[in-house]
Amino acid sequence: MKKSMKKLLSLTMAVALAASLTACGSGKTSETTAASGESTEAAKASGEGSFKIGGIGPITGSTAIYGQAVMRGAELAIDEINASGGIGGTQIEYNFQDDENDTEKAVNAYNTLKDWGMQMLVGTVTSAPCIAVGAESSNDNIFQLTPSGSAVDCAKFENQFRVCFSDPNQGAASAQYIGENKLATKVAIIYDSSDVYSSGIHDKFFSEAANQGIEIVSDEAFTADNNTNFSVQLQKAQDSGAELVFLPIYYSQAALILAQAKQMGYEPQFFGCDGLDGLLTVENFDTALAENVMLLTPFAADAKDELTQKFVTTFKERYGETPNQFAADGYDAVYAIKAAAEKAGLTADMDASAICDALKTAMTEISVNGLTGENMKWSENGEPDKAPKAVKIVNGVYTAM
Amino acid sequence: MSFISYFINGLSLGSVYAIIALGYTMVYGIAKMLNFAHGDVIMIGGYVVFTVVSTMGLGPVAGILLAVILCTVLGVVIEGVAYRPLRMASPLAVLITAIGVSYLLQNIALLVFGSNPKSFTSVVTIPALKLSQGKLTISGETIVTIVSCVIIMIGLTMFIKKTRAGQAMLAVSEDKGAAQLMGINVDGTIALTFAIGSALAAVAGALLCSAYPTLTPYTGSMPGIKAFVAAVFGGIGSIPGALIGGLLLGVIENLSKAYISSQLSDAIVFAVLIVVLLVKPTGILGKKINEKV
């Protein structure tokens, strides 16, 4: 019995550690569900075939909210384009594959789409799968435009472009905005060191802060496995006398930080990036906690311009919810492809590699008025040129500043 | 002043671990098995309170009561379906079925509630306590969590020492076969153990989600694993050990975040498990029992 007791304890230790490792991959399931998005195949004008655009992103698992939004935004754009005649008279077919924010599944999804005959890829939605797929798409020379992959390497190869800002770009822009508008001289940072998005913004913000006369008085991190208890990080920010807390993180953790800051009676100015979009839509979140929060975001559903209002109205009618910036990025990605395809004079019978070569050039020549930016242009390194908007949350809505 | 704040927050976190660790330690002490699904019962408790309070609009007390009842039933069902048939099987089989139940609960919650995090409305209505001219604020959640832990520990200790059912639990933990010979319903006693452990998990879920107001299908997994570390630390099978282990672990985690690195605190917490198993496998209050042949 003593022997089996030791055996049990050693098994216990092994299983506990294995379970700990398993918990790190909490978004994974054993099933590979290839859920196809709605394949819009309207009648083919002139019967000359159609453009095949693929989409990859997580529509199940813990990051499903992002993939769902991009898929829907892109669907909306494609349906609009098809209804008004398509790209140069040619209709678009759309096929979306689930990657569950997992690199291996993303590559599987990519191969599935290749078999389908994909000519252009809108994806992937999140950064790590985007980097993995980029290695494949660059080998195949298939055009890849990520709506929302913000890591630097998401636009590493010459066939890769992005609609959203890169992480360093947001970090620098945030520091510049805080410095130029003299919001604070003592700043604390709370970021997720296990996340490529959060770390990328943090590193650039940290280095740019020195140029802006901003003193970083507290710099604290958390990880994906310990992202609910922020009492220590907030306590350190408070003790350091920070006037502003920079939060280059996603909205679900930000909601927690705001709640816990209130619990401990700490009321600094909170400032975030586009990951904070969605904060007001957290189910059951008390929006009073978000009062005065500022963020740089490319898209605000409350904006008054005609294009945004039309998009928001149509999206609500079709999907029953307010679109977030990921939906807007997906929408803009499709319109960017349309503009580039028309600029290059693409036809549906061209193979993917020829299309890619043509689009590489055309993307640097187009200018798109989209939801996430006016007069968006792209350079040949795949980066967009557009201005971020700063908004403040007042009475539960974004207010331009 | 910062140290006191970190320490008190550590006690609060440790109290949650202690309440959860009770479930592990009771089940191990009495049934000699490890219920790795325990952490996910916490998550179910959180979702029940969320649904009752935020969706149905009832009060926090109703939410907690319903969560306790439902989790108690769930605990008994889990024991009956997944563990009882394996009573005589090898410990490895029981471990595997426990992990299976854990994933089952997570994925059911994922299907029913989705992956989006919910913001949990606190069940605590006590205002924060401000000391030293407002420099030290102790939230109501912290106070209620620590007080709940103390009450539960006292109540459970008295239950085990002063009631027939509690004595039956002690007897079964001592020698299952002999207890059966003495007329004790061993199956019923084990089911009662699961019922109590799961009820406590529901309370822990409500307290955990009130202090850190987010709720996802994975909310219970990491606290559950850490509570297991606490149970081993304090001496698995020992109820006072669960309290000591939980509190110490919570304080260790918070202080390591504050003074070592907020990123290494998890590594430190799990290192505690390794050190304990190497140095004193029975834990702080565990006792080495020489098995008679």
Side-chain angles (χ1 to χ4, degrees), chain B residues 80-96:
Chain B
V81 171
Y83 299 136
R84 187 172 300 185
L86 297 173
R87 187 83 79 226
M88 304 306 295
S90 79
L92 184 57
V94 182
L95 280 174
I96 293 172

PDB file of all heavy atoms in Angstrom, chain B residues 80-96:
ATOM      1  N   GLY B  80     -21.564   9.427  -8.786  1.00  0.00           N
ATOM      2  CA  GLY B  80     -22.291   8.206  -9.105  1.00  0.00           C
ATOM      3  C   GLY B  80     -21.982   7.671 -10.490  1.00  0.00           C
ATOM      4  O   GLY B  80     -21.898   6.463 -10.695  1.00  0.00           O
ATOM      5  N   VAL B  81     -21.804   8.579 -11.447  1.00  0.00           N
ATOM      6  CA  VAL B  81     -21.639   8.149 -12.834  1.00  0.00           C
ATOM      7  C   VAL B  81     -20.190   7.851 -13.178  1.00  0.00           C
ATOM      8  O   VAL B  81     -19.885   6.861 -13.840  1.00  0.00           O
ATOM      9  CB  VAL B  81     -22.191   9.240 -13.784  1.00  0.00           C
ATOM     10  CG1 VAL B  81     -21.835   8.930 -15.228  1.00  0.00           C
ATOM     11  CG2 VAL B  81     -23.692   9.369 -13.606  1.00  0.00           C
ATOM     12  N   ALA B  82     -19.276   8.714 -12.728  1.00  0.00           N
ATOM     13  CA  ALA B  82     -17.897   8.626 -13.207  1.00  0.00           C
ATOM     14  C   ALA B  82     -16.943   7.964 -12.226  1.00  0.00           C
ATOM     15  O   ALA B  82     -15.886   7.492 -12.624  1.00  0.00           O
ATOM     16  CB  ALA B  82     -17.387  10.018 -13.552  1.00  0.00           C
ATOM     17  N   TYR B  83     -17.280   7.957 -10.932  1.00  0.00           N
ATOM     18  CA  TYR B  83     -16.305   7.460  -9.963  1.00  0.00           C
ATOM     19  C   TYR B  83     -16.736   6.161  -9.290  1.00  0.00           C
ATOM     20  O   TYR B  83     -15.920   5.266  -9.065  1.00  0.00           O
ATOM     21  CB  TYR B  83     -16.036   8.517  -8.885  1.00  0.00           C
ATOM     22  CG  TYR B  83     -15.463   9.791  -9.435  1.00  0.00           C
ATOM     23  CD1 TYR B  83     -15.931  11.024  -9.001  1.00  0.00           C
ATOM     24  CD2 TYR B  83     -14.465   9.768 -10.396  1.00  0.00           C
ATOM     25  CE1 TYR B  83     -15.410  12.197  -9.501  1.00  0.00           C
ATOM     26  CE2 TYR B  83     -13.942  10.933 -10.909  1.00  0.00           C
ATOM     27  CZ  TYR B  83     -14.420  12.141 -10.458  1.00  0.00           C
ATOM     28  OH  TYR B  83     -13.913  13.301 -10.962  1.00  0.00           O
ATOM     29  N   ARG B  84     -18.011   6.048  -8.973  1.00  0.00           N
ATOM     30  CA  ARG B  84     -18.450   4.862  -8.235  1.00  0.00           C
ATOM     31  C   ARG B  84     -18.170   3.571  -9.003  1.00  0.00           C
ATOM     32  O   ARG B  84     -17.705   2.588  -8.418  1.00  0.00           O
ATOM     33  CB  ARG B  84     -19.935   4.974  -7.881  1.00  0.00           C
ATOM     34  CG  ARG B  84     -20.413   3.857  -6.964  1.00  0.00           C
ATOM     35  CD  ARG B  84     -21.810   4.100  -6.469  1.00  0.00           C
ATOM     36  NE  ARG B  84     -21.919   5.350  -5.698  1.00  0.00           N
ATOM     37  CZ  ARG B  84     -23.034   5.729  -5.084  1.00  0.00           C
ATOM     38  NH1 ARG B  84     -24.115   4.970  -5.161  1.00  0.00           N
ATOM     39  NH2 ARG B  84     -23.059   6.859  -4.410  1.00  0.00           N
ATOM     40  N   PRO B  85     -18.439   3.530 -10.319  1.00  0.00           N
ATOM     41  CA  PRO B  85     -18.144   2.279 -11.036  1.00  0.00           C
ATOM     42  C   PRO B  85     -16.667   1.905 -11.004  1.00  0.00           C
ATOM     43  O   PRO B  85     -16.316   0.751 -11.241  1.00  0.00           O
ATOM     44  CB  PRO B  85     -18.601   2.585 -12.467  1.00  0.00           C
ATOM     45  CG  PRO B  85     -19.578   3.692 -12.329  1.00  0.00           C
ATOM     46  CD  PRO B  85     -19.101   4.506 -11.179  1.00  0.00           C
ATOM     47  N   LEU B  86     -15.806   2.875 -10.720  1.00  0.00           N
ATOM     48  CA  LEU B  86     -14.373   2.603 -10.701  1.00  0.00           C
ATOM     49  C   LEU B  86     -13.840   2.469  -9.288  1.00  0.00           C
ATOM     50  O   LEU B  86     -12.640   2.613  -9.050  1.00  0.00           O
ATOM     51  CB  LEU B  86     -13.623   3.736 -11.420  1.00  0.00           C
ATOM     52  CG  LEU B  86     -13.939   3.899 -12.905  1.00  0.00           C
ATOM     53  CD1 LEU B  86     -13.260   5.144 -13.453  1.00  0.00           C
ATOM     54  CD2 LEU B  86     -13.474   2.679 -13.685  1.00  0.00           C
ATOM     55  N   ARG B  87     -14.714   2.201  -8.341  1.00  0.00           N
ATOM     56  CA  ARG B  87     -14.284   2.165  -6.944  1.00  0.00           C
ATOM     57  C   ARG B  87     -13.127   1.201  -6.735  1.00  0.00           C
ATOM     58  O   ARG B  87     -12.200   1.468  -5.978  1.00  0.00           O
ATOM     59  CB  ARG B  87     -15.476   1.742  -6.061  1.00  0.00           C
ATOM     60  CG  ARG B  87     -15.193   1.822  -4.591  1.00  0.00           C
ATOM     61  CD  ARG B  87     -15.390   3.225  -4.029  1.00  0.00           C
ATOM     62  NE  ARG B  87     -16.775   3.560  -3.790  1.00  0.00           N
ATOM     63  CZ  ARG B  87     -17.342   4.709  -4.156  1.00  0.00           C
ATOM     64  NH1 ARG B  87     -16.655   5.607  -4.791  1.00  0.00           N
ATOM     65  NH2 ARG B  87     -18.601   4.954  -3.883  1.00  0.00           N
ATOM     66  N   MET B  88     -13.168   0.059  -7.398  1.00  0.00           N
ATOM     67  CA  MET B  88     -12.130  -0.951  -7.185  1.00  0.00           C
ATOM     68  C   MET B  88     -11.056  -0.921  -8.266  1.00  0.00           C
ATOM     69  O   MET B  88     -10.181  -1.780  -8.300  1.00  0.00           O
ATOM     70  CB  MET B  88     -12.751  -2.355  -7.135  1.00  0.00           C
ATOM     71  CG  MET B  88     -13.842  -2.511  -6.095  1.00  0.00           C
ATOM     72  SD  MET B  88     -13.304  -2.011  -4.451  1.00  0.00           S
ATOM     73  CE  MET B  88     -12.058  -3.228  -4.104  1.00  0.00           C
ATOM     74  N   ALA B  89     -11.120   0.053  -9.152  1.00  0.00           N
ATOM     75  CA  ALA B  89     -10.156   0.103 -10.247  1.00  0.00           C
ATOM     76  C   ALA B  89      -8.845   0.727  -9.763  1.00  0.00           C
ATOM     77  O   ALA B  89      -8.747   1.230  -8.644  1.00  0.00           O
ATOM     78  CB  ALA B  89     -10.727   0.912 -11.404  1.00  0.00           C
ATOM     79  N   SER B  90      -7.862   0.726 -10.635  1.00  0.00           N
ATOM     80  CA  SER B  90      -6.562   1.280 -10.254  1.00  0.00           C
ATOM     81  C   SER B  90      -6.652   2.801 -10.162  1.00  0.00           C
ATOM     82  O   SER B  90      -7.495   3.419 -10.805  1.00  0.00           O
ATOM     83  CB  SER B  90      -5.510   0.891 -11.295  1.00  0.00           C
ATOM     84  OG  SER B  90      -5.628   1.726 -12.428  1.00  0.00           O
ATOM     85  N   PRO B  91      -5.786   3.411  -9.368  1.00  0.00           N
ATOM     86  CA  PRO B  91      -5.830   4.876  -9.203  1.00  0.00           C
ATOM     87  C   PRO B  91      -5.669   5.623 -10.519  1.00  0.00           C
ATOM     88  O   PRO B  91      -6.240   6.696 -10.694  1.00  0.00           O
ATOM     89  CB  PRO B  91      -4.649   5.150  -8.263  1.00  0.00           C
ATOM     90  CG  PRO B  91      -4.437   3.878  -7.535  1.00  0.00           C
ATOM     91  CD  PRO B  91      -4.782   2.789  -8.502  1.00  0.00           C
ATOM     92  N   LEU B  92      -4.922   5.031 -11.447  1.00  0.00           N
ATOM     93  CA  LEU B  92      -4.721   5.719 -12.720  1.00  0.00           C
ATOM     94  C   LEU B  92      -6.036   5.876 -13.480  1.00  0.00           C
ATOM     95  O   LEU B  92      -6.308   6.920 -14.075  1.00  0.00           O
ATOM     96  CB  LEU B  92      -3.709   4.944 -13.571  1.00  0.00           C
ATOM     97  CG  LEU B  92      -3.327   5.588 -14.899  1.00  0.00           C
ATOM     98  CD1 LEU B  92      -2.769   6.981 -14.667  1.00  0.00           C
ATOM     99  CD2 LEU B  92      -2.324   4.729 -15.630  1.00  0.00           C
ATOM    100  N   ALA B  93      -6.861   4.840 -13.424  1.00  0.00           N
ATOM    101  CA  ALA B  93      -8.147   4.914 -14.125  1.00  0.00           C
ATOM    102  C   ALA B  93      -9.016   6.019 -13.531  1.00  0.00           C
ATOM    103  O   ALA B  93      -9.705   6.745 -14.250  1.00  0.00           O
ATOM    104  CB  ALA B  93      -8.865   3.572 -14.042  1.00  0.00           C
ATOM    105  N   VAL B  94      -8.958   6.153 -12.218  1.00  0.00           N
ATOM    106  CA  VAL B  94      -9.765   7.180 -11.571  1.00  0.00           C
ATOM    107  C   VAL B  94      -9.260   8.574 -11.944  1.00  0.00           C
ATOM    108  O   VAL B  94     -10.042   9.498 -12.166  1.00  0.00           O
ATOM    109  CB  VAL B  94      -9.754   6.987 -10.039  1.00  0.00           C
ATOM    110  CG1 VAL B  94     -10.629   8.021  -9.367  1.00  0.00           C
ATOM    111  CG2 VAL B  94     -10.220   5.589  -9.691  1.00  0.00           C
ATOM    112  N   LEU B  95      -7.955   8.732 -12.033  1.00  0.00           N
ATOM    113  CA  LEU B  95      -7.397  10.023 -12.452  1.00  0.00           C
ATOM    114  C   LEU B  95      -7.872  10.391 -13.849  1.00  0.00           C
ATOM    115  O   LEU B  95      -8.235  11.529 -14.129  1.00  0.00           O
ATOM    116  CB  LEU B  95      -5.868   9.961 -12.443  1.00  0.00           C
ATOM    117  CG  LEU B  95      -5.181  10.125 -11.099  1.00  0.00           C
ATOM    118  CD1 LEU B  95      -3.689   9.890 -11.257  1.00  0.00           C
ATOM    119  CD2 LEU B  95      -5.438  11.506 -10.539  1.00  0.00           C
ATOM    120  N   ILE B  96      -7.850   9.404 -14.733  1.00  0.00           N
ATOM    121  CA  ILE B  96      -8.223   9.677 -16.112  1.00  0.00           C
ATOM    122  C   ILE B  96      -9.692  10.053 -16.214  1.00  0.00           C
ATOM    123  O   ILE B  96     -10.068  10.984 -16.932  1.00  0.00           O
ATOM    124  CB  ILE B  96      -7.896   8.463 -17.006  1.00  0.00           C
ATOM    125  CG1 ILE B  96      -6.378   8.283 -17.081  1.00  0.00           C
ATOM    126  CG2 ILE B  96      -8.473   8.646 -18.395  1.00  0.00           C
ATOM    127  CD1 ILE B  96      -5.944   7.023 -17.777  1.00  0.00           C
TER     128      ILE B  96
END
